Amino acid sequence: MKYISTRGDQTQRGFAEILLEGLAPDGGLYLPTHYPKVDDATLTKWRGLSYAELAFEILSLYIDDIPAADLKALTAKTYTKAVYGFDEITPLKHLEPGLCLQALSNGPTLAFKDMAMQLLGNLFEYELGRRGESLNILGATSGDTGSAAEYAMRGKKGVRVFMLSPNGRMSPFQQAQMFSLQDPNIHNIAVEGVFDDCQDIVKAVSNDLAFKRQYKIGTVNSINWARLLAQVVYYFAGYFYATKANTEKVSFTVPSGNFGNVCAGHVARMMGLPVDQLVVATNENNVLDEFFRTGTYRVRGTAETYETSSPSMDISKASNFERFVFDLLGRDGAACKALFKDAVEKQGGFTLPAETFAKVPGYGFASGTSNHANRLDTIRATFEADGTLIDTHTADGLKVAREHMKPGTTMIVLETALPAKFEETIVEATGQRPARPHWISGLDGLEQLPKRFVVCPKDTQWVKDYVVQHCQD
Ligand SMILES: *Cc1c(COP(=O)(O)O)cnc(C)c1O
C-alpha cells in the first residue's frame, strides 16, 4: 500500500515513511491510494478473531513495509487485557434494546486516545530501532492527547516527549496523571499561558525547518495516519460484537472534535463494513454539525471557541476533516487544496453544494449538537436507569444518538472517556463520585504523588533551549 497527499502531490510513499512524518510536504494529509475492500467471506473469518488478531488483519492491508511477523508481535503486545482491562478490549454495554455503548476508554489515560496512541508508541520504537534513529516529540495539550502520548511513549527507546500544557489549566486529575510520570524520556513543560499559546510555540518551532531537522522534532497529533488506522479496528470489533450475521447493519454515533475518530468510521465503511449511519455529535462548538446540516464549513476563531464541560471537543477547526472532504470530492487533490489552503485560510471556510453530497452514494452522515444542560440531563437519566455512569463527551454522543435511531438497526455510541476523568460534572449531575478503574494501578492517591515538571514563559526560544539541553538524555 502506498500513500498520497490530499492536496494533489502524487508522490507515493510507504507506511514506514509517513509514520514518522506529520503533514505531507504540500501541506496535505496522507491517505492510502485506495481503501482495500473486505468481502463477506473475510468478514465471517474476522468475526472469530481476538481484538489483537483483528488489528493485525486490518493493519496488514495498509502496511507492507513491516514484516508480517513483526506487525503481528506489535499488535499482540499492544492490545492486551493487562492494558485495557477486558478481554474484548472494547466491550459493548447494552443500555436498552437497539442502543449500546462501546467502551474505548479503558486504557491507561481513561480516554479513547489510548486505543491508537499505545500502538503508535510501539510502532515508533520499532521503526526508530530499525533505522537506528531517535525522535523528539514536541506537542501541546489541553489534557487528553498529552497524557495519552506520554503513557504510550514512557520508557520507549529512541523517543523523547516534550509536552507543553497551559500552566494550572488542566483538571487536577489530568495534571496529576502527566506530572507524576518519573520516566527520564518524558518532559512536562507548563507554559504560563493558555492552550493556544502552547500550540503557537509548537508551530513556531516546527516552522524552523533547520532546527526541526537538526534536533529531529516530530509530532503525534491526530492527523497521523497510523492513529487513524488503529481506530478503524474498533469499528469492525463493535460491529462483530453487536451483530450475529453480516446481513445486519449498525450505526455509530461519535463524539467529535478533530473528526479523527469518526473519520476512521468512514474508512471502515469505505472498506465495506455494513454501517448504516455515521452520526457526528458535537458540543456547543458545533462547526461539524453545521457542515452536515448545511454544507457550510466555517472555521471559528479562539474568541468564538467556547470552554465547555466536554473540553476535549472544544475544537473549531477539525484537523482531520480534509481527509473526508478529499473523498467527497472524488479524490480531486487540486479541488481539495482550493478549499483547505485557499478558502479556509483566506475566507475562513467554504460551502459545498448539495449536488456534491448527492453525487456520492453511501456517504450517509448525520449530525447533532448538545449543550451543558443536555449533558447533565443525559448523565442523570442514564445513571437513574440502571446505575451506569457516563462521561460528559459520551453524554453528548448519547443525546445525539437518540435523535437518529431507526427501528431494526443497532445504534452504537462510542464511549470516548471514563467519567472518573471528568468528576466535577458527574458529581454536578448525579451527586455521585465516579469510581476509578481498578485495573489501572496508581490511580488512587494519584493527586498526592510527587510531580515532575518545569514552568516556562510564553517564549519559543526558551522551549528550543530546553529541547537542546535535554535531547541527549
Ligand atoms: C479527543 C476526544 C474527542 C474528540 O475526538 P476527535 O477524534 O478529535 O473527533 C472526544 N472525546 C474525548 C474524550 C476525547 O479525548
Side-chain angles (χ1 to χ4, degrees):
M1 179 64 79
K2 294 280 186 258
Y3 292 84
I4 52 169
S5 162
T6 51
R7 295 202 181 166
D9 175 355
Q10 290 302 315
T11 314
Q12 300 201 353
R13 297 178 168 84
F15 176 85
E17 195 182 342
I18 65 160
L19 172 66
L20 302 171
E21 272 180 46
L23 293 173
D26 65 353
L29 308 185
Y30 286 114
L31 272 179
T33 55
H34 64 284
Y35 299 113
K37 290 282 183 284
V38 175
D39 61 14
D40 190 58
T42 308
L43 282 177
T44 302
K45 194 178 95 194
W46 286 1
R47 252 179 205 285
L49 300 181
S50 71
Y51 192 95
E53 290 165 340
L54 179 64
F56 167 71
E57 293 294 333
I58 293 172
L59 262 56
S60 0
L61 298 176
Y62 290 93
I63 303 175
D64 52 20
D65 47 7
I66 293 177
D70 293 355
L71 193 58
K72 193 154 205 164
L74 287 166
T75 50
K77 172 170 149 188
T78 303
Y79 297 109
T80 64
K81 184 177 176 179
V83 173
Y84 293 96
F86 295 84
D87 284 321
E88 304 96 314
I89 307 297
T90 62
L92 295 188
K93 176 170 176 58
H94 291 271
L95 292 179
E96 58 196 62
L99 180 64
C100 50
L101 298 176
Q102 185 178 3
L104 305 182
S105 42
N106 291 327
T109 70
L110 284 53
F112 90 97
K113 308 265 186 321
D114 292 325
M115 292 305 305
M117 206 69 92
Q118 288 285 316
L119 180 73
L120 201 66
N122 287 329
L123 281 170
F124 273 18
E125 185 177 51
Y126 172 86
E127 185 59 26
L128 290 167
R130 192 158 76 151
R131 296 174 178 208
E133 290 177 9
S134 66
L135 188 69
N136 294 305
I137 293 168
L138 180 66
T141 187
S142 56
D144 287 347
T145 304
S147 53
E150 293 188 354
Y151 279 74
M153 305 297 167
R154 62 188 295 199
K156 291 277 186 291
K157 289 189 254 339
V159 191
R160 273 173 228 94
V161 178
F162 297 88
M163 191 58 67
L164 311 187
S165 60
N167 192 19
R169 286 176 188 261
M170 287 191 290
S171 79
F173 179 87
Q174 287 175 321
Q175 200 210 49
Q177 257 205 323
M178 286 177 53
F179 292 4
S180 64
L181 288 179
Q182 301 296 330
D183 307 74
N185 71 328
I186 303 295
H187 299 272
N188 286 304
I189 303 175
V191 178
E192 285 169 335
V194 295
F195 172 68
D196 284 319
D197 298 319
C198 303
Q199 187 99 298
D200 287 346
I201 294 176
V202 172
K203 276 190 203 144
V205 176
S206 303
N207 285 339
D208 182 344
L209 291 181
F211 184 87
K212 195 176 158 188
R213 210 162 298 136
Q214 183 176 359
Y215 294 101
K216 300 189 167 50
I217 304 293
T219 65
V220 287
N221 50 23
S222 83
I223 56 162
N224 186 300
W225 166 255
R227 278 182 64 181
L228 208 133
L229 178 57
Q231 294 167 187
V232 172
V233 179
Y234 54 70
Y235 284 88
F236 279 86
Y239 175 77
F240 294 138
Y241 297 155
T243 61
K244 293 197 168 63
N246 305 340
T247 47
E248 294 176 56
K249 279 194 169 187
V250 302
S251 293
F252 289 93
T253 299
V254 189
S256 296
N258 264 324
F259 205 76
N261 196 348
V262 71
C263 194
H266 162 69
V267 172
R269 179 160 57 184
M270 296 299 279
M271 292 170 70
L273 188 69
V275 175
D276 182 26
Q277 300 179 89
L278 288 169
V279 183
V280 176
T282 65
N283 64 14
E284 289 89 333
N285 297 294
N286 60 353
V287 178
L288 292 170
D289 176 45
E290 184 174 271
F291 172 79
F292 285 104
R293 279 186 295 103
T294 66
T296 295
Y297 180 65
R298 188 178 61 85
V299 170
R300 322 257 164 98
T302 311
E304 257 191 291
T305 306
Y306 311 111
E307 258 185 59
T308 76
S309 46
S310 44
S312 305
M313 291 154 62
D314 293 348
I315 291 166
S316 294
K317 191 175 174 199
S319 55
N320 269 288
F321 187 56
E322 182 169 339
R323 288 195 159 105
F324 168 68
V325 172
F326 180 66
D327 285 344
L328 199 61
L329 297 170
R331 305 202 127 206
D332 180 340
C336 197
K337 182 174 176 181
L339 294 183
F340 283 90
K341 184 155 171 59
D342 306 329
V344 168
E345 280 174 21
K346 297 201 184 90
Q347 291 128 46
F350 54 80
T351 299
L352 290 185
E355 308 89 79
T356 306
F357 284 94
K359 247 188 344 212
V360 198
Y363 274 74
F365 271 79
S367 70
T369 188
S370 167
N371 60 30
H372 185 69
N374 300 141
R375 216 165 282 138
L376 293 182
D377 287 346
T378 308
I379 293 169
R380 192 178 306 118
T382 309
F383 176 65
E384 282 169 1
D386 70 349
T388 302
L389 280 179
I390 56 172
D391 102 290
T392 52
H393 308 77
T394 310
D396 291 334
L398 186 54
K399 185 263 180 185
V400 172
R402 288 189 196 279
E403 298 161 358
H404 293 280
M405 286 174 66
K406 289 185 195 165
T409 305
T410 298
M411 174 65 82
I412 301 175
V413 179
L414 298 186
E415 178 184 63
T416 54
L418 289 189
K421 207 163 183 179
F422 299 94
E423 239 171 45
E424 206 183 314
T425 312
I426 311 305
V427 172
E428 184 183 349
T430 65
Q432 302 286 318
R433 197 162 289 283
R436 295 184 174 181
H438 57 83
W439 59 88
I440 301 171
S441 61
L443 287 185
D444 290 323
L446 183 70
E447 286 88 340
Q448 280 75 53
L449 293 175
K451 295 185 170 53
R452 186 170 162 270
F453 67 103
V454 292
V455 177
C456 93
K458 226 172 5 181
D459 178 359
T460 303
Q461 191 56 46
W462 193 102
V463 172
K464 282 183 173 171
D465 292 344
Y466 187 88
V467 170
V468 172
Q469 280 156 24
H470 291 90
C471 68
Q472 310 296 340
D473 300 358

